[in-house]
Amino acid sequence: TSGSISYYASDPNLSFTMTSGSSVSFNAQAKNGATVLASRDIAFYNYGSFLVYPNPALESIQIAVTENEAFTVIIYDQDENILEKQDEYLADSFIDVSGLAPGNYFIKVLQGKEIRHQQRMQITR
């Protein structure tokens, strides 16, 4: 994208607000006078909010997302073993978790290979 963004600087921090679905990129430089010591391109993406519900879950979960796109959803345990995977997940579709034992699990929501959201979830019965 192009344009400008409002920001607040408080040494050494920089804060800004982004709307859902937007991105901002810039180049940061560390200088000693006129000499550039280091340079790095930085990009931030805001893909909106994700909500896994109900949490704790009994038989199924849903994920509310602000995008109208398909995502990959992965449910895994604390040892990072993949227990459930659903490709092409669309907002508010159901994911059956009835086959998982009660306990704590983790969810990743991916778009392509990039993680868009991670969250802990609990299954109770």
Side-chain angles (χ1 to χ4, degrees):
T1 60
S2 63
S4 61
I5 188 169
S6 299
Y7 64 91
Y8 171 74
S10 174
D11 238 357
N13 301 311
L14 178 71
S15 301
F16 54 89
T17 302
M18 294 172 49
T19 58
S20 178
S22 65
S23 65
V24 62
S25 59
F26 54 90
N27 179 271
Q29 296 180 338
K31 291 184 172 184
N32 183 1
T35 304
V36 176
L37 303 173
S39 178
R40 177 168 290 176
D41 290 324
I42 302 169
F44 293 98
Y45 302 92
N46 183 348
Y47 287 97
S49 61
F50 294 80
L51 173 67
V52 177
Y53 67 96
N55 192 6
L58 295 173
E59 301 294 322
S60 66
I61 60 168
Q62 291 177 272
I63 303 173
V65 296
T66 55
E67 292 76 25
N68 199 12
E69 300 176 26
F71 294 91
T72 298
V73 178
I74 299 172
I75 300 174
Y76 58 101
D77 62 19
Q78 65 185 8
D79 296 323
E80 298 190 20
N81 296 311
I82 295 174
L83 305 173
E84 298 284 334
K85 181 178 179 186
Q86 183 171 341
D87 294 314
E88 302 298 316
Y89 178 85
L90 295 172
D92 296 316
S93 299
F94 287 91
I95 298 175
D96 182 10
V97 294
S98 63
L100 299 176
N104 292 314
Y105 297 91
F106 301 91
I107 270 191
K108 282 185 189 177
V109 179
L110 299 102
Q111 185 177 35
K113 293 184 179 185
E114 293 191 40
I115 298 171
R116 297 294 177 231
H117 180 73
Q118 293 185 88
Q119 180 177 331
R120 183 181 73 82
M121 89 170 176
Q122 185 177 25
I123 296 182
T124 60
R125 297 227 167 54

